[in-house]
Amino acid sequence: MDWKTLQALLSGVNKYSTAFGRIWLSVVFVFRVLVYVVAAERVWGDEQKDFDCNTKQPGCTNVCYDEFFPISNIRLWALQLIFVTCPSLLVILHVAYREERERRHRQKHGDQCSKLYDDTGKKHGGLWWTYLLSLVFKLLIEFLFLYLLHTLWYGFGMPRLVQCANVAPCPNTVDCYIARPTEKKLFTYFMVGASAVCIVLTFCEICYLIFHRVVRSLHRKGQRGGRGHAPSASRASTCRCHHKLLEAADPSPDSRDSKLCASAPTMTPI
Amino acid sequence: MDWGTLHTFVGGVNKHSTSIGKVWVTVLFVFRVMILVVAAQEVWGDEQEDFVCNTLQPGCRNVCYDHFFPVSHIRLWALQLIFVSTPALLVAMHVAYYRHEAARRFRRGETRSEFKDLEDIKRQKVRIEGSLWWTYTSSIFFRIVFEAAFMYVFYFLYNGYHLPWVLKCGIQPCPNLVDCFISRPTEKTVFTIFMISASVICMLLNVAELCYLLLKVCFRRSKRAQTQKAAPNHALKESKQNEMNELISEGGQNAITGFPS
């Protein structure tokens, strides 16, 4: 199980995403995951070994390291990347649920009956809300991790020297030197920058979705003013097959011919 | 997620590239990415461990290493390769958009004569013209800019491309001017020069590709202008001939039907 598995899982979301969503996924995998794997991980590789404190007191170095790095930056980024990509799985689950429902409907009513959904991947009805919610969760998770990073490490910087005071077993205020602080600061800024770009993209995508929906419903209202009842993309739960209507209504053979050209199934928009 | 995934991303764009573009991708992945992964990373693997300073003062080694190597060569090269490959994603997105539009027109029945089926749309090579030409040219321009920027950053950070075997460091907490020794300086210099040379070759290939694309457009435009100059004369001759034919045929008909002229 590694980043490739996550990438394979999320590549499926691309089909149901908007253009912003696809750009977001490329930014996440190229500028965040790839940079994390090929560069950033190695920078933090020797962080505890090369955390050097000006003392011979056994245990002082360990305790000071733990005081300043309760959780390593690199582990926090790994968690951030996993949590930020997970809401997209909600969309995949919803589409899979729709497909399963469509399959069961066909099994029950046969192939003659019209489909529940014109396109299970189209962002109409419940799927639109799921997609919007996934974007909102992504935004919240990004902000939460940026806040954590800012709080735990006193801003996004990385000092060369940290002073460890009043921490047993250190005998006095001890100077401790972090390994590669400039390189770590550079990668922290890079990852924060990439996170900011992803936040902007997610925000644009939310605006685009809402705007698109408003325009579509205004357009539909205009059409309805002219024509009357318009069909919807999802017709779940109230579809009734026309051959079952015939059977229920009139069993006599004489009236069958006149009813053969009967109606389409009744549809209720959801 | 590793260099292989980036290779898949960039390799997909290769189908629509020019020949020079294809050579560039090969040079990038064989002479830069592969060298970085199989050789350079091993050379720089022990860089801080074996960075030795002539002092027992705790923290002096860390501080001196940080002063002389604010960013490791290896990380800079990794970032350079990622940034230089990224503009190809612009082209990939444009091609994907073009195919999406073609598929939509095909489903509406507008372009049934051009493509046999949807699979044909996916398989067909997209020509570099129109708006795709601009996207492709911009991507090459950005590649050149990124290559030049990283080469300058290297030169600026390390005062040239040569690594000395001893460095003098007098930063706090070092008690005085301390000698610090880099591990494998000659090997590191050799690899630095190799990577810089590969970078220069890639830049030259990008410049050549840009010139080729510009020349192609100029040549195409001049050919079109020449065809248009010749075509109006030809069209004028044809229309005069048609008028004469009509007059002749009307005259003939009048003669047959006895219509008064």
Side-chain angles (χ1 to χ4, degrees):
Chain A
M1 191 77 191
D2 56 7
W3 293 107
K4 269 193 181 149
T5 321
L6 187 71
Q7 192 198 355
L9 269 173
L10 290 168
S11 300
V13 180
N14 244 352
K15 271 190 295 197
Y16 316 118
S17 299
T18 59
F20 285 108
R22 285 172 197 166
I23 297 172
W24 176 88
L25 206 65
S26 304
V27 167
V28 166
F29 278 108
V30 174
F31 289 103
R32 293 173 80 178
V33 178
L34 185 65
V35 169
Y36 173 94
V37 170
V38 308
E41 231 177 353
R42 282 165 221 269
V43 178
W44 271 265
D46 54 5
E47 56 177 324
Q48 190 170 0
K49 203 157 44 86
D50 287 332
F51 183 75
D52 213 2
C53 287
N54 190 3
T55 180
K56 278 192 181 278
Q57 171 63 46
C60 180
T61 307
N62 278 16
V63 157
C64 287
Y65 180 82
D66 191 61
E67 170 86 6
F68 288 102
F69 300 106
I71 176 166
S72 171
N73 281 30
I74 209 78
R75 255 72 69 185
L76 196 70
W77 284 330
L79 286 174
Q80 183 182 13
L81 288 169
I82 292 168
F83 277 93
V84 140
T85 45
C86 279
S88 303
L89 296 176
L90 287 174
V91 175
I92 297 178
L93 287 171
H94 193 138
V95 172
Y97 163 75
R98 275 186 170 188
E99 281 171 357
E100 180 60 24
R101 218 170 152 212
E102 186 76 59
R103 190 187 64 83
R104 281 203 194 139
H105 178 79
R106 285 180 156 266
Q107 241 176 17
K108 195 173 169 189
H109 299 290
D111 285 339
Q112 282 90 23
C113 187
S114 63
K115 294 203 268 186
L116 281 176
Y117 304 103
D118 285 333
D119 181 359
T120 49
K122 205 143 175 83
K123 289 184 289 294
H124 288 156
L127 187 60
W128 186 88
W129 287 103
T130 306
Y131 195 84
L132 188 70
L133 260 175
S134 74
L135 293 176
V136 170
F137 283 144
K138 275 184 208 172
L139 256 187
L140 289 174
I141 289 166
E142 292 273 24
F143 277 122
L144 177 71
F145 275 91
L146 281 179
Y147 172 74
L148 269 176
L149 195 70
H150 191 268
T151 316
L152 286 175
W153 285 279
Y154 318 103
F156 299 125
M158 187 73 67
R160 244 181 212 176
L161 160 74
V162 290
Q163 290 188 311
C164 195
N166 304 322
V167 175
C170 300
N172 48 19
T173 301
V174 166
D175 289 341
C176 292
Y177 300 88
I178 298 173
R180 312 183 213 242
T182 310
E183 201 166 3
K184 286 176 178 169
K185 190 161 47 177
L186 185 87
F187 275 96
T188 305
Y189 287 153
F190 185 90
M191 296 299 254
V192 167
S195 197
V197 167
C198 287
I199 286 173
V200 167
L201 283 169
T202 309
F203 187 71
C204 289
E205 200 177 357
I206 290 174
C207 295
Y208 168 76
L209 268 182
I210 295 172
F211 174 75
H212 199 245
R213 171 99 168 201
V214 163
V215 161
R216 206 173 60 217
S217 50
L218 285 173
H219 181 66
R220 219 182 272 166
K221 264 188 199 158
Q223 278 184 336
R224 262 186 221 157
R227 278 197 283 126
H229 192 76
S232 130
S234 58
R235 291 163 276 179
S237 83
T238 56
C239 171
R240 283 175 286 161
C241 298
H242 66 271
H243 62 271
K244 291 218 180 251
L245 272 172
L246 286 176
E247 282 167 23
D250 192 353
S252 64
D254 302 324
S255 56
R256 202 172 290 163
D257 285 337
S258 60
K259 289 245 170 102
L260 270 174
C261 47
S263 53
T266 53
M267 292 177 239
T268 310
I270 291 174
Chain B
M1 190 75 194
D2 55 9
W3 293 109
T5 321
L6 190 72
H7 184 237
T8 317
F9 271 133
V10 177
V13 181
N14 220 5
K15 256 196 312 188
H16 315 288
S17 301
T18 60
S19 319
I20 306 175
K22 288 173 185 163
V23 171
W24 175 83
V25 171
T26 312
V27 169
L28 184 80
F29 280 100
V30 174
F31 291 102
R32 294 173 80 180
V33 177
M34 198 156 154
I35 297 289
L36 181 82
V37 169
V38 308
Q41 265 174 1
E42 307 292 325
V43 176
W44 268 266
D46 55 4
E47 55 177 326
Q48 191 169 359
E49 260 170 48
D50 288 337
F51 182 76
V52 171
C53 287
N54 189 4
T55 181
L56 283 174
Q57 171 61 45
C60 177
R61 192 176 69 97
N62 277 13
V63 156
C64 289
Y65 180 83
D66 186 60
H67 176 75
F68 289 109
F69 300 104
V71 185
S72 171
H73 287 69
I74 282 287
R75 255 73 68 184
L76 265 180
W77 282 326
L79 285 175
Q80 182 182 13
L81 289 168
I82 291 170
F83 273 87
V84 147
S85 315
T86 310
L89 289 178
L90 287 174
V91 177
M93 282 181 205
H94 195 136
V95 168
Y97 169 75
Y98 169 85
R99 283 189 175 146
H100 174 76
E101 289 296 305
R104 208 154 56 106
R105 285 199 305 270
F106 183 83
R107 277 191 214 107
R108 281 192 196 154
E110 289 167 23
T111 50
R112 297 261 163 186
S113 53
E114 277 179 53
F115 306 107
K116 280 182 279 184
D117 56 14
L118 286 171
E119 284 305 312
D120 196 36
I121 294 171
K122 280 185 192 166
R123 268 181 273 125
Q124 200 188 50
K125 180 184 161 171
V126 180
R127 290 190 64 182
I128 303 171
E129 45 194 30
S131 55
L132 185 62
W133 184 90
W134 286 103
T135 307
Y136 194 82
T137 318
S138 314
S139 76
I140 298 176
F141 177 75
F142 281 124
R143 273 188 224 161
I144 296 171
V145 165
F146 288 140
E147 292 273 21
F150 273 92
M151 278 172 62
Y152 173 72
V153 164
F154 258 107
Y155 190 84
F156 177 74
L157 280 180
Y158 300 108
N159 295 320
Y161 302 122
H162 170 77
L163 274 95
W165 56 275
V166 65
L167 294 160
K168 307 257 183 211
C169 178
I171 309 163
Q172 283 287 334
C174 303
N176 48 21
L177 202 66
V178 159
D179 289 339
C180 291
F181 301 88
I182 304 174
S183 78
R184 312 182 216 233
T186 311
E187 199 169 3
K188 285 177 179 169
T189 306
V190 166
F191 273 97
T192 305
I193 292 172
F194 182 89
M195 294 296 268
I196 295 292
S197 311
S199 192
V200 165
I201 291 170
C202 284
M203 231 163 82
L204 289 172
L205 283 169
N206 286 328
V207 167
E209 197 177 1
L210 200 61
C211 293
Y212 167 73
L213 283 171
L214 289 167
L215 278 170
K216 203 171 155 185
V217 153
C218 292
F219 183 68
R220 208 185 292 153
R221 279 203 183 145
S222 68
K223 204 175 168 185
R224 212 179 283 163
Q226 274 176 13
T227 337
Q228 271 176 3
K229 260 188 213 165
N233 289 339
H234 182 70
L236 191 63
K237 274 184 194 167
E238 262 197 58
S239 65
K240 276 190 175 164
Q241 188 64 46
N242 286 340
E243 271 178 43
M244 280 179 66
N245 290 342
E246 277 175 29
L247 282 168
I248 290 166
S249 64
E250 269 173 32
Q253 275 182 355
N254 290 344
I256 290 165
T257 57
F259 227 58
S261 52

